[in-house]
Amino acid sequence: MSEYSRLKIMLGGVPLGCDNIGDEATLASAVGIFRRLMPECELTVCTAKQRETASKFNCNTLPLYGFDRSPLSEFRRVVANYDLFIWFGATGLSDYPETACALLENSQKAGVATVVWNVGMNNVFNPMLYSLAGKKLKLCKLLESVTWVDWAAHFEKFIHKRVRKRLADTLGKSRLIVLRDEASLLELRKCASFPQAMVGADSAILQKSVEFESLRWEDHCAQMFNSATKRVALCLSSQSPVGELDDFAAWLDNLNLSENVLTIMLPMNPITDYEFMEKLRSKMKYSQKTIMPRFIEPEEIQCVVAKCNLVISSRLHLMILALNHLIPCIGIARGSKINSFLDQFGLPVAGSTGTVDFNTLDYYAKKYLGANDFSLQGAKVRKKMVKNLSEAESRLKSVLYEINSRI
């Protein structure tokens, strides 16, 4: 029996099983990494879709601790049976930092080693959680009217400082900290110096694809896709929806006609993104030049996007999957993560979901549809990302060896 057979690893801190295809892509590649480094380790994944995840990855599953109603006392009791808790993937350092910190803290209190693996961090904390709203904001505005002090800004600064201190204290006790890009590491170091932290890459850069012939299309979608000479993949996130939907529909109509393009809408959330892009289609004059296949697995999405000429997206992971095959992308920002990722490739961002820059969008869409000279440049950047990830894997393997030796 292998010396690794007893190592029990719990993967959590990401809202898995909640209809986010990007998170599932990260999970698939992370599982592959951990099993390659320790083939006989026992993996357990925290997810809202326990049965489906167990079947797909042949792993153990647990409830989605931190994101469901399961008490943290239950999590601490369960995690005590493991050797290592790994918080992996997504942009959790800024999207839900205190949720993941609570899982790390409870693991550490139970005597379980912790690792932070290729997590990202935006330059702002999640405004839904860390910006004032409702009665608190009204009270601050009322106080501001009589004191001339921006109390809302002061209070939010206090909240952000508290969160950064918690991140500094909690992550400082982890055995390994790997960020998915340099920008995330710089943001984390605003909390503390973290000299031991390093840059890896999003695990999804290792995502595999299915064979194209195995895809199950609706008949009309397959015919339109196969006969198209130019294909643009599109995903607009419902989380931070594009406000200028009428203008976007008009721009897309014009692109589809002037460039003889087929637009393939690929929802990275098969429920909410699908509904939002159906709304976009309803505003188009020539919606018959679009298709929206119902693929829900990352390996299917990557297979489709690999045969497109261009990707336009406000979802990061659709662009990660596209760039695995060196397909050029145009981002529409929501937070800094899309800018940080595309900057590495020298690819453009056409404004934000609040204000789309249609001039930039139009210029680069026509540029990449006209002639794709991006692949050489993209290959160099991707090679560096793979190298960074490989170096991070080496560090992780050392940590796993050390933990295993003490079992």
Side-chain angles (χ1 to χ4, degrees):
M1 183 175 290
S2 166
E3 61 179 307
Y4 305 127
S5 60
R6 293 184 298 150
L7 192 70
K8 298 177 68 176
I9 302 174
M10 183 190 295
L11 305 180
V14 180
L16 297 168
C18 296
D19 302 308
N20 185 316
I21 295 172
D23 288 345
E24 303 304 321
T26 301
L27 171 63
S29 298
V31 166
I33 289 170
F34 303 138
R35 283 188 168 150
R36 174 160 40 81
L37 297 180
M38 285 222 166
E40 295 182 44
C41 68
E42 181 181 321
L43 285 180
T44 299
V45 177
C46 297
T47 174
K49 294 183 177 177
Q50 290 185 244
R51 184 170 57 185
E52 297 91 330
T53 301
S55 175
K56 181 171 183 177
F57 297 110
N58 190 27
C59 65
N60 301 321
T61 58
L62 285 168
L64 191 57
Y65 291 118
F67 299 93
D68 64 6
R69 296 183 180 181
S70 303
L72 284 173
S73 59
E74 178 185 323
F75 171 77
R76 192 190 301 189
R77 176 180 58 80
V78 173
V79 78
N81 298 312
Y82 288 80
D83 305 304
L84 175 63
F85 175 80
I86 300 181
W87 174 20
F88 73 101
T91 319
L93 282 165
S94 50
D95 283 357
Y96 38 84
E98 293 187 290
T99 298
C101 275
L103 298 176
L104 291 173
E105 289 162 356
N106 278 273
S107 300
Q108 292 160 0
K109 288 175 183 177
V112 177
T114 58
V115 162
V116 178
W117 179 252
N118 287 312
V119 180
M121 188 172 189
N122 271 333
N123 60 355
V124 293
F125 288 113
N126 184 351
M128 297 295 291
L129 298 176
Y130 299 105
S131 293
L132 289 186
K135 292 181 180 179
K136 289 182 179 179
L137 180 58
K138 288 181 180 178
L139 178 59
C140 286
K141 291 297 182 184
L142 180 61
L143 288 172
E144 182 180 354
S145 68
V146 295
T147 63
W148 300 97
V149 175
D150 188 346
W151 290 103
H154 279 286
F155 193 65
E156 287 177 3
K157 184 177 180 180
F158 168 78
I159 294 171
H160 297 168
K161 184 177 180 180
R162 182 196 69 196
V163 173
R164 289 187 185 279
K165 184 178 186 305
R166 189 174 183 185
L167 284 169
D169 293 343
T170 307
L171 270 66
K173 299 173 185 175
S174 291
R175 303 291 289 276
L176 177 65
I177 304 171
V178 182
L179 282 296
R180 73 181 177 198
D181 53 43
E182 187 69 36
S184 294
L185 180 58
L186 291 174
E187 284 299 323
L188 181 63
R189 284 181 170 158
K190 293 178 182 178
C191 305
S193 60
F194 290 112
Q196 78 280 26
M198 66 182 297
V199 174
D202 194 297
S203 299
I205 70 169
L206 302 181
Q207 174 67 50
K208 304 298 183 183
S209 298
V210 298
E211 293 295 327
F212 185 78
E213 291 72 22
S214 71
L215 292 173
R216 297 184 178 181
W217 300 81
E218 297 87 346
D219 289 341
H220 74 286
C221 288
Q223 182 180 3
M224 291 179 68
F225 187 90
N226 290 326
S227 62
T229 55
K230 295 181 182 179
R231 307 182 186 102
V232 174
L234 172 70
C235 182
L236 298 181
S237 171
S238 59
Q239 282 186 318
S240 177
V242 168
E244 306 155 292
L245 209 56
D246 289 325
D247 292 339
F248 202 98
W251 178 82
L252 200 56
D253 273 328
N254 181 67
L255 181 74
N256 289 349
L257 289 176
S258 64
E259 300 295 318
N260 191 27
V261 164
L262 175 69
T263 298
I264 301 95
M265 297 183 174
L266 294 173
M268 293 298 282
N269 182 311
I271 298 175
T272 59
D273 288 359
Y274 185 90
E275 292 172 353
F276 183 68
M277 289 197 285
E278 277 285 27
K279 186 177 178 182
L280 172 64
R281 290 176 88 185
S282 72
K283 294 178 178 293
M284 296 177 65
K285 291 181 179 179
Y286 307 106
S287 60
Q288 69 272 18
K289 292 187 71 66
T290 69
I291 59 173
M292 187 151 49
R294 300 302 295 264
F295 298 122
I296 61 172
E297 300 294 342
E299 57 270 26
E300 296 172 332
I301 297 288
Q302 180 166 282
C303 180
V304 173
V305 81
K307 293 186 175 293
C308 292
N309 304 89
L310 172 67
V311 169
I312 299 169
S313 181
S314 62
R315 288 275 191 185
L316 173 64
H317 276 85
L318 181 61
M319 293 184 284
I320 291 177
L321 299 182
L323 286 162
N324 286 347
H325 289 270
L326 305 179
I327 306 301
C329 301
I330 303 172
I332 300 174
R334 51 186 193 97
S336 61
K337 62 184 179 181
I338 286 176
N339 303 67
S340 299
F341 180 69
L342 292 183
D343 281 350
Q344 298 173 80
F345 288 90
L347 289 168
V349 175
S352 66
T353 53
T355 307
V356 177
D357 183 345
F358 287 104
N359 289 331
T360 296
L361 192 58
D362 199 59
Y363 173 81
Y364 283 103
K366 291 175 179 175
K367 173 184 175 180
Y368 289 125
L369 288 170
N372 181 7
D373 56 357
F374 167 75
S375 58
L376 182 60
Q377 169 192 348
K380 291 179 180 178
V381 178
R382 184 170 156 71
K383 183 178 180 180
K384 181 181 178 182
M385 285 183 170
V386 172
K387 181 175 182 289
N388 287 346
L389 184 55
S390 177
E391 291 172 354
E393 286 183 22
S394 295
R395 286 274 297 275
L396 175 62
K397 187 172 185 178
S398 296
V399 171
L400 297 179
Y401 264 96
E402 182 184 351
I403 295 170
N404 188 73
S405 69
R406 298 182 181 183
I407 296 174

